[in-house]
Amino acid sequence: MADRRSFYRRRDPGSTLYYHAATTSPALSFSHVVVQTPANLDNAVVSVFSTHKRNATMNFFLETLKVLLHTIYLMFESIILWFIPLRRKNVAGELVLITGAGSGIGRLMTMEFARLGATLVLWDINEEGIKETSRLAKENGAVRVHTYKCDCSKREEVYKVADQVKKEVGDITILINNAGIVTGKKFIDSPDALVEKTMQVNTMAHFWTYKAFLPAMMASNHGHLVSIASSAGLIGVNGLADYCASKFAAIGFAESVGLEMLSLGKTGVKTTIVCPYFINTGMFDGCSTKWPRLMPILEPEYASKKIVDAILKEQVYLVMPRSLYIIFAFKNIISAKLGVVLGDYFGAFHFMDRFKGRVKKD
C-alpha cells in the first residue's frame, strides 16, 4: 500500500509549535514533531505585514495625489497653449532626411525645410522625381541637397544607402518616414505580393531607418523621429485592411520607441506622429468623403505646412482635420454597435468605393 500521510499544525499555549503526523502505513508510526520557535515570532510577522500594508496604502495615496495634481497642471497648460503659440525650434543646419520625397507630401515638406535653411537628404525609388524635387528645393533657398535612389521595402538597400549618407553627408538629425503605398483593394482580392509590399514600405522601412540613424541621435541626445502615418492607423476602414494594418503598426512602433527614449533619459530625441485624413496628392484618387465640411479631403499644401509646423513645435501627435480628434475619442467609449452606426453615418463603408489611386506614367 502506498504511504499516505496527513499533516496538521497545532499551537501550544506556550512558545512551541507541535506538528502532528498521522499515517496509514504500518511501517511508519510517530506521534508528533516538535519545533521550538520564539514566543513572539507570529506577532513579529503580523507586525511586519501590517507595516508593509500601511506603507503601500500611503504610497498609493501619495502617488495618486501627485498624478492628479500633475494632470490638472498639464490640462491647464494645454488650455493656455491654445491661445499662446509654442516657440518653434530652429532647424537651420539640421540634416533632414525625407523618404518618399519624389512627389506629393514628401516634395512639399522638402520645400518647407528648404526655406528654413535645413540640409536636405532626399530618398525615393523614383530617381527622376527626387531630381525634380532637388531642383525645386534649390529654387526655394536650399543650399545643400543630396538625393539618393532607395527602395525602402528592401532592408539591405536601406542600410547600404544609409551608410552612404553617413559617409557623404553626416548623421541625420531629423528623420521623416514618409514613403508609403496603398493597394486599395478588398483584403480577399489583394495579391499576396502587394500585401507584403505594403507592410514592407509602410511599416518595416521605419524599423530599418531607425536602426540606421537612431544610434547617432541617442549618442548626442539630439534628434527628431517623424512618422507620417494615417488616420487609418487609428480606426479600421472598409477596403483598406492591409493599409490600416501597416499604419496601426507604424503608429505603435513610433510610440514605443518614443517611450524607450524617455525611459533611457534621451529627452533630446523627439517623436512626432502624423495621422491625416485623405490628402489630395493622387495616392487616393477616386476616394470620396460624405461630409466634406466635417471631414474634408486635405489639400497637400495645407497638410505639409501643418506637418512641418508640428515638427518645429515638437508636437507628439498631429491629427488632421481637427474633427477626427473628437471622432477617435468617441471610438474608445461607445459600444461596437453604435460605432457601426456612426461609421455608416460618416461614410466609412464607402470611402474606397471609387478608388483609382495614382496613375503610373509610362
Side-chain angles (χ1 to χ4, degrees):
M1 179 183 292
D3 176 34
R4 299 193 305 276
R5 305 172 204 169
S6 61
F7 292 85
Y8 63 93
R9 176 186 176 206
R10 176 173 65 83
R11 166 161 288 285
D12 194 66
S15 61
T16 304
L17 297 179
Y18 290 88
Y19 289 87
H20 288 259
T23 178
T24 59
S25 172
L28 294 173
S29 177
F30 52 88
S31 59
H32 62 265
V33 179
V34 181
V35 181
Q36 295 291 336
T37 61
N40 61 347
L41 176 61
D42 280 3
N43 292 336
V45 171
V46 170
S47 177
V48 168
F49 278 108
S50 297
T51 302
H52 177 75
K53 186 175 180 180
R54 285 196 299 271
N55 289 341
T57 302
M58 182 59 68
N59 287 339
F60 172 78
F61 174 77
L62 291 175
E63 287 200 29
T64 302
L65 180 60
K66 178 182 176 181
V67 168
L68 287 174
L69 292 174
H70 200 188
T71 300
I72 293 170
Y73 168 78
L74 291 177
M75 290 178 68
F76 182 72
E77 180 186 66
S78 297
I79 294 171
I80 295 297
L81 292 176
W82 273 84
F83 304 99
I84 301 176
L86 281 171
R87 181 180 178 181
R88 274 71 171 172
K89 67 180 178 182
N90 182 10
V91 295
E94 298 280 0
L95 271 63
V96 181
L97 189 154
I98 304 174
T99 67
S103 62
I105 290 296
R107 175 175 289 177
L108 291 170
M109 286 191 293
T110 299
M111 301 305 110
E112 295 294 325
F113 280 107
R115 299 183 190 105
L116 295 169
T119 297
L120 298 165
V121 178
L122 311 179
W123 285 14
D124 203 289
I125 196 171
N126 181 353
E127 197 167 12
E128 292 302 314
I130 49 174
K131 285 182 179 178
E132 176 63 12
T133 301
S134 174
R135 184 187 68 79
L136 294 172
K138 289 174 181 176
E139 288 181 1
N140 280 270
V143 177
R144 296 178 63 198
V145 185
H146 305 265
T147 62
Y148 297 87
K149 182 179 180 180
C150 183
D151 183 351
C152 291
S153 69
K154 298 177 179 177
R155 180 187 58 182
E156 294 306 323
E157 188 168 335
V158 169
Y159 287 162
K160 179 181 176 181
V161 178
D163 287 340
Q164 191 177 348
V165 168
K166 286 183 273 190
K167 290 176 184 176
E168 297 175 358
V169 186
D171 291 325
I172 296 301
T173 54
I174 300 178
L175 172 62
I176 304 177
N177 278 303
N178 168 72
I181 62 171
V182 60
T183 304
K185 298 178 182 293
K186 299 288 187 183
F187 169 69
I188 207 68
D189 299 322
S190 301
D192 292 355
L194 283 180
V195 171
E196 289 180 344
K197 194 79 168 179
T198 298
M199 299 304 295
Q200 288 164 354
V201 175
N202 296 359
T203 306
M204 298 311 300
H206 297 205
F207 284 64
W208 316 141
T209 55
Y210 273 41
K211 276 286 184 74
F213 299 113
L214 181 56
M217 296 184 189
M218 294 174 67
S220 62
N221 195 23
H222 175 75
H224 203 139
L225 303 166
V226 183
S227 177
I228 307 300
S230 170
S231 59
L234 296 170
I235 192 168
V237 179
N238 177 38
L240 282 176
D242 56 342
Y243 184 80
C244 286
S246 69
K247 294 300 184 177
F248 266 86
I251 292 171
F253 173 68
E255 286 182 341
S256 297
V257 175
L259 291 174
E260 284 185 18
M261 295 301 101
L262 290 176
S263 69
L264 293 171
K266 303 300 180 181
T267 54
V269 181
K270 308 298 182 181
T271 295
T272 294
I273 302 169
V274 182
C275 301
Y277 188 55
F278 297 128
I279 303 176
N280 189 23
T281 60
M283 185 174 178
F284 283 95
D285 271 1
C287 293
S288 60
T289 183
K290 186 175 180 180
W291 308 113
R293 293 202 176 199
L294 181 64
M295 295 169 60
I297 293 179
L298 304 169
E299 289 304 316
E301 292 78 10
Y302 166 82
S304 62
K305 287 181 183 295
K306 292 290 288 184
I307 293 169
V308 172
D309 191 54
I311 295 169
L312 298 180
K313 293 190 294 185
E314 298 180 342
Q315 185 175 333
V316 178
Y317 298 99
L318 172 64
V319 179
M320 299 182 286
R322 282 186 177 275
S323 58
L324 292 182
Y325 283 106
I326 299 172
I327 292 171
F328 293 141
F330 267 104
K331 177 203 169 187
N332 295 315
I333 59 175
I334 62 176
S335 69
K337 289 182 179 180
L338 180 54
V340 171
V341 171
L342 293 178
D344 184 50
Y345 169 76
F346 288 116
F349 292 95
H350 304 288
F351 289 151
M352 300 292 293
D353 285 358
R354 298 179 182 177
F355 171 82
K356 294 182 293 184
R358 186 180 285 119
V359 178
K360 292 185 178 181
K361 297 179 180 179
D362 296 330

Coordinates of all heavy atoms in Angstrom, one line a residue, residues 288-361:
S288 N -13.8 59.3 -51.8 CA -14.8 60.3 -51.5 C -15.0 60.5 -50.0 O -14.8 59.6 -49.2 CB -16.1 60.0 -52.2 OG -16.7 58.8 -51.7
T289 N -15.6 61.6 -49.7 CA -16.0 61.9 -48.3 C -17.4 62.3 -48.2 O -17.9 63.1 -49.1 CB -15.0 63.0 -47.7 OG1 -15.4 63.1 -46.3 CG2 -15.1 64.3 -48.4
K290 N -18.2 61.8 -47.3 CA -19.6 62.0 -47.3 C -20.0 63.4 -46.8 O -20.9 64.1 -47.3 CB -20.3 61.0 -46.3 CG -21.8 61.0 -46.3 CD -22.4 59.9 -45.5 CE -23.9 59.9 -45.5 NZ -24.4 58.8 -44.6
W291 N -19.2 63.9 -45.8 CA -19.5 65.2 -45.2 C -18.2 66.1 -45.4 O -17.4 66.1 -44.4 CB -19.9 65.1 -43.8 CG -21.1 64.2 -43.5 CD1 -21.0 63.0 -42.8 CD2 -22.4 64.3 -44.0 NE1 -22.2 62.4 -42.8 CE2 -23.1 63.2 -43.5 CE3 -23.1 65.3 -44.7 CZ2 -24.5 63.0 -43.7 CZ3 -24.4 65.1 -45.0 CH2 -25.1 64.0 -44.5
P292 N -18.0 66.7 -46.5 CA -16.7 67.4 -46.8 C -16.5 68.6 -45.8 O -15.3 68.9 -45.6 CB -16.9 67.9 -48.2 CG -18.3 67.8 -48.5 CD -18.9 66.7 -47.7
R293 N -17.5 69.2 -45.2 CA -17.3 70.3 -44.3 C -16.7 69.7 -42.9 O -15.9 70.4 -42.3 CB -18.5 71.0 -44.0 CG -19.0 71.8 -45.3 CD -19.9 72.9 -44.9 NE -20.3 73.7 -46.1 CZ -20.7 74.9 -46.1 NH1 -20.9 75.5 -44.9 NH2 -21.0 75.6 -47.2
L294 N -17.2 68.6 -42.6 CA -16.8 67.9 -41.3 C -15.5 67.2 -41.5 O -14.6 67.3 -40.6 CB -17.9 67.0 -40.8 CG -17.6 66.3 -39.5 CD1 -17.5 67.3 -38.3 CD2 -18.7 65.3 -39.2
M295 N -15.4 66.4 -42.6 CA -14.2 65.6 -42.8 C -13.7 65.9 -44.3 O -13.9 65.1 -45.2 CB -14.5 64.2 -42.6 CG -14.8 63.8 -41.2 SD -15.5 62.1 -41.0 CE -14.1 61.1 -41.6
P296 N -13.1 67.0 -44.5 CA -12.6 67.4 -45.8 C -11.4 66.6 -46.3 O -10.6 66.2 -45.5 CB -12.3 68.9 -45.7 CG -11.9 69.0 -44.3 CD -12.7 68.1 -43.5
I297 N -11.3 66.3 -47.6 CA -10.1 65.8 -48.2 C -9.1 66.9 -48.2 O -9.4 68.0 -48.6 CB -10.3 65.2 -49.6 CG1 -11.2 64.0 -49.5 CG2 -9.0 64.9 -50.3 CD1 -11.6 63.4 -50.8
L298 N -7.9 66.7 -47.6 CA -7.0 67.8 -47.3 C -6.2 68.1 -48.5 O -5.8 67.3 -49.3 CB -6.0 67.3 -46.2 CG -6.6 66.9 -44.9 CD1 -5.6 66.2 -44.0 CD2 -7.3 68.1 -44.2
E299 N -5.9 69.4 -48.7 CA -5.1 69.9 -49.7 C -3.6 69.7 -49.3 O -3.2 69.9 -48.1 CB -5.3 71.4 -50.0 CG -6.6 71.7 -50.7 CD -6.8 70.9 -52.0 OE1 -5.8 70.8 -52.8 OE2 -7.9 70.3 -52.2
P300 N -2.8 69.2 -50.2 CA -1.4 68.9 -49.8 C -0.6 70.0 -49.3 O 0.2 69.8 -48.4 CB -0.8 68.3 -51.2 CG -1.8 68.7 -52.2 CD -3.1 68.9 -51.6
E301 N -0.8 71.2 -49.8 CA 0.0 72.4 -49.3 C -0.3 72.7 -47.9 O 0.5 72.9 -47.1 CB -0.3 73.6 -50.2 CG 0.2 73.6 -51.6 CD -0.7 72.7 -52.5 OE1 -1.8 72.4 -52.1 OE2 -0.2 72.5 -53.7
Y302 N -1.6 72.6 -47.5 CA -2.1 72.8 -46.1 C -1.5 71.7 -45.2 O -0.9 72.0 -44.2 CB -3.6 72.8 -46.1 CG -4.2 72.7 -44.7 CD1 -4.3 73.8 -43.8 CD2 -4.6 71.4 -44.2 CE1 -4.8 73.7 -42.6 CE2 -5.1 71.3 -42.9 CZ -5.2 72.4 -42.1 OH -5.7 72.3 -40.8
A303 N -1.6 70.5 -45.7 CA -1.1 69.3 -44.9 C 0.4 69.4 -44.6 O 0.9 69.2 -43.5 CB -1.5 68.0 -45.6
S304 N 1.2 69.7 -45.6 CA 2.6 69.8 -45.5 C 3.0 70.9 -44.5 O 3.9 70.7 -43.7 CB 3.3 70.0 -46.8 OG 2.9 71.2 -47.5
K305 N 2.4 72.0 -44.6 CA 2.7 73.1 -43.7 C 2.3 72.8 -42.2 O 3.1 73.1 -41.3 CB 1.9 74.4 -44.1 CG 2.4 75.1 -45.3 CD 1.6 76.3 -45.7 CE 2.1 77.0 -47.0 NZ 3.5 77.5 -46.9
K306 N 1.2 72.1 -42.0 CA 0.8 71.7 -40.7 C 1.8 70.6 -40.1 O 2.2 70.7 -39.0 CB -0.6 71.1 -40.7 CG -1.7 72.1 -41.0 CD -1.9 73.1 -39.9 CE -2.6 72.4 -38.7 NZ -2.9 73.4 -37.6
I307 N 2.3 69.7 -41.0 CA 3.2 68.7 -40.6 C 4.5 69.4 -40.1 O 5.1 69.1 -39.0 CB 3.5 67.7 -41.7 CG1 2.2 66.9 -41.9 CG2 4.6 66.7 -41.3 CD1 2.2 66.0 -43.2
V308 N 5.1 70.2 -41.0 CA 6.4 70.9 -40.6 C 6.2 71.7 -39.4 O 7.1 71.8 -38.5 CB 6.9 71.7 -41.8 CG1 8.1 72.5 -41.4 CG2 7.2 70.8 -43.0
D309 N 5.1 72.4 -39.2 CA 4.8 73.2 -38.1 C 4.8 72.4 -36.8 O 5.3 72.7 -35.8 CB 3.5 74.0 -38.2 CG 3.3 75.1 -37.1 OD1 4.3 75.9 -37.0 OD2 2.3 75.0 -36.4
A310 N 4.2 71.2 -36.9 CA 4.1 70.2 -35.8 C 5.5 69.8 -35.4 O 5.9 69.6 -34.2 CB 3.3 69.0 -36.1
I311 N 6.4 69.6 -36.4 CA 7.8 69.2 -36.1 C 8.5 70.3 -35.4 O 9.2 70.1 -34.4 CB 8.5 68.8 -37.4 CG1 7.9 67.5 -38.1 CG2 10.0 68.6 -37.2 CD1 8.3 67.2 -39.5
L312 N 8.3 71.5 -35.9 CA 9.0 72.7 -35.3 C 8.5 72.9 -33.8 O 9.3 73.3 -33.0 CB 8.7 73.9 -36.1 CG 9.2 73.9 -37.6 CD1 8.9 75.2 -38.2 CD2 10.7 73.7 -37.6
K313 N 7.3 72.6 -33.5 CA 6.8 72.7 -32.2 C 7.0 71.5 -31.3 O 6.7 71.4 -30.2 CB 5.3 73.0 -32.2 CG 4.9 74.3 -32.8 CD 3.4 74.7 -32.7 CE 2.5 73.7 -33.4 NZ 1.1 74.1 -33.4
E314 N 7.6 70.4 -31.9 CA 7.9 69.2 -31.3 C 6.6 68.6 -30.7 O 6.6 68.0 -29.6 CB 9.0 69.3 -30.2 CG 10.3 69.8 -30.7 CD 11.4 70.0 -29.7 OE1 11.1 70.1 -28.5 OE2 12.6 70.0 -30.1
Q315 N 5.6 68.7 -31.5 CA 4.3 68.1 -31.2 C 4.3 66.6 -31.4 O 4.7 66.1 -32.4 CB 3.2 68.8 -32.1 CG 1.8 68.4 -31.8 CD 0.9 69.2 -32.7 OE1 1.2 70.3 -33.2 NE2 -0.3 68.7 -33.0
V316 N 3.8 65.9 -30.4 CA 3.9 64.4 -30.5 C 2.9 63.9 -31.4 O 3.2 63.0 -32.3 CB 3.7 63.8 -29.1 CG1 3.8 62.3 -29.2 CG2 4.8 64.3 -28.1
Y317 N 1.6 64.3 -31.4 CA 0.6 63.8 -32.3 C 0.0 65.0 -33.1 O -0.3 66.0 -32.6 CB -0.5 63.2 -31.5 CG -0.1 62.0 -30.7 CD1 0.1 62.1 -29.3 CD2 0.0 60.7 -31.3 CE1 0.5 61.0 -28.6 CE2 0.4 59.6 -30.5 CZ 0.6 59.7 -29.2 OH 1.0 58.7 -28.4
L318 N -0.2 64.7 -34.4 CA -0.9 65.6 -35.2 C -2.0 64.8 -36.0 O -1.7 63.9 -36.8 CB 0.0 66.3 -36.2 CG -0.6 67.1 -37.3 CD1 -1.4 68.3 -36.7 CD2 0.4 67.6 -38.4
V319 N -3.2 65.2 -35.7 CA -4.4 64.5 -36.4 C -5.1 65.6 -37.2 O -5.4 66.7 -36.7 CB -5.3 63.9 -35.4 CG1 -6.5 63.2 -36.1 CG2 -4.6 62.8 -34.6
M320 N -5.3 65.3 -38.5 CA -6.0 66.3 -39.4 C -7.1 65.6 -40.1 O -6.9 64.4 -40.6 CB -5.0 66.8 -40.4 CG -3.8 67.5 -39.9 SD -2.7 68.2 -41.2 CE -1.9 66.6 -41.7
P321 N -8.3 66.3 -40.3 CA -8.6 67.6 -39.7 C -8.9 67.4 -38.2 O -9.0 66.3 -37.7 CB -9.9 68.0 -40.4 CG -10.5 66.7 -40.8 CD -9.4 65.7 -41.1
R322 N -9.2 68.5 -37.5 CA -9.4 68.5 -36.0 C -10.6 67.7 -35.6 O -10.6 67.2 -34.5 CB -9.5 69.9 -35.5 CG -8.1 70.7 -35.4 CD -8.3 72.0 -34.7 NE -7.1 72.7 -34.5 CZ -6.3 72.5 -33.5 NH1 -6.6 71.6 -32.5 NH2 -5.1 73.2 -33.4
S323 N -11.6 67.6 -36.5 CA -12.8 66.9 -36.1 C -12.5 65.4 -35.8 O -13.2 64.8 -35.1 CB -13.8 67.0 -37.3 OG -13.2 66.4 -38.5
L324 N -11.4 64.9 -36.3 CA -11.1 63.5 -36.1 C -10.7 63.3 -34.6 O -10.8 62.1 -34.1 CB -9.9 63.0 -37.0 CG -10.3 62.9 -38.5 CD1 -9.1 62.4 -39.3 CD2 -11.5 62.0 -38.7
Y325 N -10.2 64.3 -33.9 CA -9.8 64.1 -32.5 C -11.1 63.7 -31.8 O -11.0 62.8 -30.9 CB -9.3 65.4 -31.9 CG -7.9 65.8 -32.3 CD1 -7.6 66.8 -33.2 CD2 -6.8 65.1 -31.7 CE1 -6.3 67.1 -33.5 CE2 -5.5 65.4 -32.0 CZ -5.2 66.4 -32.9 OH -4.0 66.8 -33.2
I326 N -12.2 64.3 -32.1 CA -13.5 64.0 -31.4 C -14.0 62.6 -31.8 O -14.4 61.9 -30.9 CB -14.5 65.1 -31.7 CG1 -14.1 66.5 -31.3 CG2 -15.9 64.8 -31.1 CD1 -14.9 67.6 -31.7
I327 N -13.9 62.3 -33.1 CA -14.4 61.0 -33.5 C -13.6 59.9 -32.9 O -14.1 58.9 -32.4 CB -14.3 61.0 -35.1 CG1 -15.3 61.9 -35.7 CG2 -14.5 59.5 -35.6 CD1 -15.1 62.1 -37.2
F328 N -12.3 60.0 -32.8 CA -11.4 59.0 -32.2 C -11.6 58.9 -30.7 O -11.5 57.8 -30.2 CB -10.0 59.2 -32.6 CG -9.7 59.0 -34.1 CD1 -8.8 59.9 -34.7 CD2 -10.3 58.0 -34.8 CE1 -8.5 59.7 -36.1 CE2 -10.1 57.9 -36.2 CZ -9.2 58.7 -36.8
A329 N -11.9 60.0 -30.1 CA -12.2 60.0 -28.6 C -13.5 59.2 -28.4 O -13.5 58.3 -27.4 CB -12.3 61.4 -28.1
F330 N -14.5 59.4 -29.2 CA -15.7 58.7 -29.0 C -15.6 57.2 -29.3 O -16.2 56.3 -28.7 CB -16.8 59.2 -30.0 CG -17.6 60.3 -29.3 CD1 -17.4 61.6 -29.6 CD2 -18.6 60.0 -28.4 CE1 -18.2 62.6 -29.1 CE2 -19.4 61.0 -27.8 CZ -19.2 62.3 -28.2
K331 N -14.7 56.8 -30.2 CA -14.5 55.4 -30.6 C -14.2 54.6 -29.4 O -14.6 53.4 -29.3 CB -13.4 55.3 -31.6 CG -13.0 53.9 -32.0 CD -11.6 53.8 -32.6 CE -11.2 52.3 -32.7 NZ -9.8 52.1 -33.1
N332 N -13.4 55.2 -28.5 CA -13.0 54.4 -27.3 C -14.0 54.3 -26.2 O -13.7 53.6 -25.2 CB -11.7 55.0 -26.8 CG -10.5 54.9 -27.8 OD1 -10.3 53.9 -28.4 ND2 -9.8 56.0 -28.0
I333 N -15.1 55.0 -26.3 CA -16.1 54.9 -25.2 C -17.4 54.4 -25.6 O -18.2 54.0 -24.7 CB -16.2 56.3 -24.5 CG1 -16.7 57.4 -25.5 CG2 -14.9 56.7 -23.9 CD1 -17.0 58.7 -24.9
I334 N -17.7 54.4 -26.9 CA -19.0 53.9 -27.3 C -19.0 52.4 -27.6 O -18.0 51.8 -27.7 CB -19.5 54.7 -28.6 CG1 -18.5 54.4 -29.8 CG2 -19.6 56.2 -28.3 CD1 -19.0 55.1 -31.1
S335 N -20.2 51.8 -27.7 CA -20.3 50.4 -28.0 C -20.0 50.1 -29.4 O -20.0 51.0 -30.3 CB -21.8 49.9 -27.7 OG -22.7 50.5 -28.7
A336 N -19.6 48.9 -29.7 CA -19.3 48.5 -31.1 C -20.5 48.7 -32.0 O -20.3 49.1 -33.2 CB -18.9 47.0 -31.1
K337 N -21.7 48.4 -31.6 CA -22.9 48.6 -32.4 C -23.1 50.1 -32.8 O -23.4 50.4 -33.9 CB -24.1 48.0 -31.7 CG -24.2 46.5 -31.6 CD -25.4 46.1 -31.0 CE -25.5 44.5 -30.9 NZ -26.7 44.1 -30.2
L338 N -22.9 50.9 -31.8 CA -23.0 52.4 -32.1 C -21.9 52.8 -33.0 O -22.1 53.7 -33.8 CB -23.0 53.1 -30.8 CG -23.1 54.7 -30.9 CD1 -24.4 55.1 -31.7 CD2 -23.2 55.3 -29.5
G339 N -20.7 52.2 -32.8 CA -19.6 52.6 -33.7 C -19.9 52.3 -35.2 O -19.6 53.0 -36.1
V340 N -20.6 51.1 -35.4 CA -21.0 50.8 -36.8 C -22.0 51.8 -37.3 O -21.9 52.2 -38.5 CB -21.6 49.4 -36.8 CG1 -22.3 49.1 -38.2 CG2 -20.6 48.3 -36.5
V341 N -23.0 52.2 -36.5 CA -24.0 53.2 -36.9 C -23.3 54.5 -37.3 O -23.6 55.1 -38.3 CB -25.0 53.4 -35.8 CG1 -25.9 54.6 -36.1 CG2 -25.8 52.1 -35.6
L342 N -22.4 55.0 -36.4 CA -21.7 56.2 -36.7 C -20.8 56.1 -37.9 O -20.7 57.1 -38.7 CB -21.0 56.7 -35.4 CG -21.8 57.1 -34.2 CD1 -20.9 57.5 -33.1 CD2 -22.8 58.2 -34.6
G343 N -20.2 54.9 -38.0 CA -19.3 54.7 -39.2 C -20.1 54.8 -40.5 O -19.6 55.4 -41.5
D344 N -21.3 54.3 -40.5 CA -22.1 54.4 -41.7 C -22.5 55.8 -41.9 O -22.6 56.3 -43.0 CB -23.4 53.5 -41.5 CG -24.2 53.5 -42.7 OD1 -23.7 53.3 -43.8 OD2 -25.5 53.7 -42.6
Y345 N -22.8 56.6 -40.8 CA -23.2 58.0 -40.9 C -22.1 58.8 -41.5 O -22.4 59.7 -42.4 CB -23.6 58.5 -39.5 CG -23.8 60.0 -39.5 CD1 -24.9 60.6 -40.0 CD2 -22.8 60.8 -38.9 CE1 -25.0 62.0 -40.0 CE2 -22.9 62.2 -38.9 CZ -24.0 62.8 -39.4 OH -24.2 64.2 -39.4
F346 N -20.9 58.5 -41.1 CA -19.7 59.3 -41.6 C -19.3 58.8 -43.0 O -18.3 59.4 -43.6 CB -18.6 59.3 -40.6 CG -18.8 60.1 -39.4 CD1 -18.9 59.5 -38.2 CD2 -18.9 61.5 -39.5 CE1 -19.1 60.3 -37.0 CE2 -19.1 62.2 -38.4 CZ -19.2 61.6 -37.1
G347 N -19.8 57.7 -43.5 CA -19.5 57.2 -44.8 C -18.3 56.3 -44.9 O -17.7 56.1 -45.9
A348 N -17.9 55.8 -43.7 CA -16.7 55.0 -43.6 C -16.8 53.7 -44.5 O -15.7 53.1 -44.8 CB -16.4 54.6 -42.2
F349 N -18.0 53.2 -44.7 CA -18.2 52.0 -45.5 C -18.0 52.2 -47.0 O -17.9 51.2 -47.8 CB -19.5 51.4 -45.2 CG -19.7 50.8 -43.8 CD1 -20.2 51.6 -42.8 CD2 -19.2 49.6 -43.5 CE1 -20.4 51.1 -41.6 CE2 -19.3 49.1 -42.2 CZ -19.9 49.9 -41.2
H350 N -17.9 53.5 -47.4 CA -17.9 53.7 -48.9 C -16.8 54.7 -49.3 O -16.8 55.1 -50.5 CB -19.3 54.3 -49.3 CG -20.4 53.5 -48.9 ND1 -20.7 52.3 -49.5 CD2 -21.4 53.6 -47.9 CE1 -21.8 51.7 -49.0 NE2 -22.2 52.5 -48.0
F351 N -15.8 55.0 -48.4 CA -14.7 55.8 -48.8 C -14.0 55.3 -50.0 O -13.6 56.1 -50.9 CB -13.7 55.9 -47.7 CG -14.1 56.7 -46.4 CD1 -13.6 56.3 -45.2 CD2 -15.0 57.7 -46.5 CE1 -14.0 57.0 -44.0 CE2 -15.4 58.4 -45.4 CZ -14.9 58.1 -44.2
M352 N -13.8 54.0 -50.1 CA -13.0 53.4 -51.2 C -13.7 52.9 -52.4 O -13.2 52.3 -53.2 CB -12.1 52.3 -50.5 CG -11.2 52.7 -49.4 SD -9.9 53.8 -49.9 CE -9.0 52.7 -50.9
D353 N -15.1 53.2 -52.4 CA -15.9 52.6 -53.5 C -15.4 52.9 -54.9 O -15.5 52.1 -55.8 CB -17.3 53.0 -53.3 CG -18.0 52.3 -52.2 OD1 -17.4 51.4 -51.6 OD2 -19.2 52.6 -51.9
R354 N -14.9 54.1 -55.1 CA -14.5 54.6 -56.4 C -13.0 54.8 -56.5 O -12.5 55.6 -57.3 CB -15.2 55.9 -56.8 CG -16.7 55.6 -56.9 CD -17.5 56.9 -57.2 NE -18.9 56.7 -57.2 CZ -19.8 57.7 -57.4 NH1 -19.4 58.9 -57.7 NH2 -21.1 57.4 -57.4
F355 N -12.2 54.1 -55.6 CA -10.8 54.3 -55.6 C -10.1 54.0 -56.9 O -10.4 53.0 -57.5 CB -10.2 53.4 -54.5 CG -8.7 53.4 -54.5 CD1 -8.0 54.4 -53.9 CD2 -8.0 52.3 -55.1 CE1 -6.6 54.3 -53.9 CE2 -6.6 52.3 -55.1 CZ -5.9 53.3 -54.5
K356 N -9.2 54.9 -57.4 CA -8.4 54.6 -58.6 C -7.0 54.6 -58.2 O -6.2 53.9 -58.8 CB -8.7 55.7 -59.6 CG -10.2 55.7 -60.2 CD -10.4 56.7 -61.2 CE -10.3 58.1 -60.6 NZ -10.6 59.2 -61.7
G357 N -6.6 55.5 -57.3 CA -5.2 55.6 -57.0 C -4.4 56.4 -58.0 O -4.9 56.9 -59.0
R358 N -3.1 56.6 -57.7 CA -2.2 57.4 -58.6 C -2.0 56.6 -59.8 O -1.6 55.4 -59.8 CB -0.9 57.7 -57.9 CG 0.0 58.6 -58.7 CD 1.3 58.9 -58.0 NE 1.1 59.9 -56.9 CZ 1.3 59.6 -55.6 NH1 1.7 58.4 -55.2 NH2 1.1 60.5 -54.7
V359 N -2.2 57.2 -61.0 CA -2.0 56.6 -62.3 C -0.5 56.6 -62.6 O 0.1 57.7 -62.6 CB -2.8 57.3 -63.4 CG1 -2.5 56.6 -64.7 CG2 -4.3 57.2 -63.0
K360 N 0.1 55.4 -62.9 CA 1.5 55.4 -63.2 C 1.7 55.9 -64.6 O 1.0 55.5 -65.5 CB 2.0 53.9 -63.0 CG 2.0 53.5 -61.6 CD 2.7 52.1 -61.5 CE 2.7 51.6 -60.1 NZ 3.4 50.3 -59.9
K361 N 2.8 56.6 -64.7 CA 3.2 57.1 -66.0 C 4.0 56.1 -66.8 O 4.8 55.4 -66.2 CB 4.0 58.4 -65.9 CG 3.3 59.6 -65.3 CD 4.1 60.8 -65.1 CE 3.3 62.0 -64.5 NZ 4.2 63.2 -64.4

